[in-house]
Amino acid sequence: MTTSPVDHSCEFGIPGLGVQRGDHICGLYRSPQQRDDVMLAFLGEGLRRGDKCVCIVDSSRPLQLLVDPDRGIDIEGHVASGQLEVRNSSEAYVRSGRFSPHGLLVDLDDSLTAAMADRRFAFVRVVNEMPPSVSDFPQEELLAHESELKRFAPRYPLAILCLYDVNRFAGMVIGLLKSHHMMLFDDVAFEGWTQS
């Protein structure tokens, strides 16, 4: 699906940090609490704004990760309305025991096409956590997938937040910085860079 270009800029959910159409952001975390803080800020802002939110997280019970009574987010209501989709990242990425980023992109493309077709949502936020089960796959495959996501993101009015556990993926930090528009780590935002 081709959408008309829309200049779209909005709050990330962290004070002073914005997102724009086509942003591909890497969030590094050291603990589940750090992951949840960034993820819930991004999704919570999107749900408040009426954005479509797709959350692909590493948990056998992914909805449980989003339940945070302190933030006042009605997760079940957003899921029931179709505004929020929640999936398990291990199932999304590892099919038949093999790392399958292409399958994830096809699923994501289908989901975004449907979200745009019903015209309820002007913007989409995607949270995409890389599961620990793929940390043993070649870094080149993982980084090629991130580069593909970076090319994919501008096709829709969306922003993608990729989450990586720095304890498992520390050797990929430079590659991740190159394949994302921005990187967040310890409440600091770094601009990504492209190779000359």
Side-chain angles (χ1 to χ4, degrees):
M1 172 180 171
T2 305
T3 58
S4 60
V6 176
D7 183 24
H8 197 287
S9 165
C10 55
E11 292 297 315
F12 179 95
I14 295 173
L17 187 60
V19 293
Q20 296 181 32
R21 177 191 173 115
D23 274 354
H24 182 222
I25 304 158
C26 181
L28 297 177
Y29 64 88
R30 287 191 178 116
S31 69
Q33 184 63 47
Q34 281 184 329
R35 176 202 57 206
D36 294 353
D37 287 347
V38 171
M39 175 178 64
L40 291 170
F42 184 69
L43 291 175
E45 179 66 19
L47 292 171
R48 278 187 290 280
R49 290 175 32 86
D51 297 341
K52 170 76 174 183
C53 295
V54 179
C55 184
I56 305 166
V57 291
D58 185 55
S59 171
S60 59
R61 300 173 65 202
L63 270 179
Q64 292 304 108
L65 292 181
L66 301 179
V67 175
D68 184 353
D70 295 336
R71 295 183 196 258
I73 301 172
D74 175 17
I75 298 301
E76 290 180 6
H78 291 298
V79 170
S81 74
Q83 184 183 6
L84 175 64
E85 290 179 35
V86 183
R87 304 179 199 154
N88 177 284
S89 61
S90 292
E91 292 169 5
Y93 272 108
V94 183
R95 298 170 184 208
S96 303
R98 188 71 194 123
F99 179 55
S100 176
H102 178 72
L104 176 76
L105 281 174
V106 169
D107 289 348
L108 194 54
D109 192 47
D110 290 346
S111 178
L112 295 172
T113 298
M116 296 293 104
D118 75 9
R119 302 192 187 281
R120 287 187 348 179
F121 307 105
F123 197 70
V124 180
R125 292 172 185 242
V126 177
V127 171
N128 178 33
E129 182 182 19
M130 191 59 69
S133 58
V134 303
S135 61
D136 294 332
F137 286 92
Q139 285 187 13
E140 297 79 25
E141 283 186 53
L142 299 175
L143 293 173
H145 165 65
E146 290 297 350
S147 293
E148 185 61 30
L149 274 175
K150 188 175 183 180
R151 286 188 293 276
F152 174 87
R155 292 178 51 197
Y156 294 97
L158 67 77
I160 300 174
L161 171 63
C162 298
L163 297 172
Y164 279 86
D165 182 346
V166 75
N167 300 307
R168 295 182 184 271
F169 295 98
M172 292 178 53
V173 171
I174 298 299
L176 291 171
L177 190 57
K178 290 179 180 179
S179 60
H180 290 81
H181 296 107
M182 181 192 322
M183 181 176 285
L184 302 173
F185 187 51
D186 281 345
D187 297 326
V188 177
F190 302 91
E191 280 191 42
W193 78 81
T194 57
Q195 293 175 305
S196 311

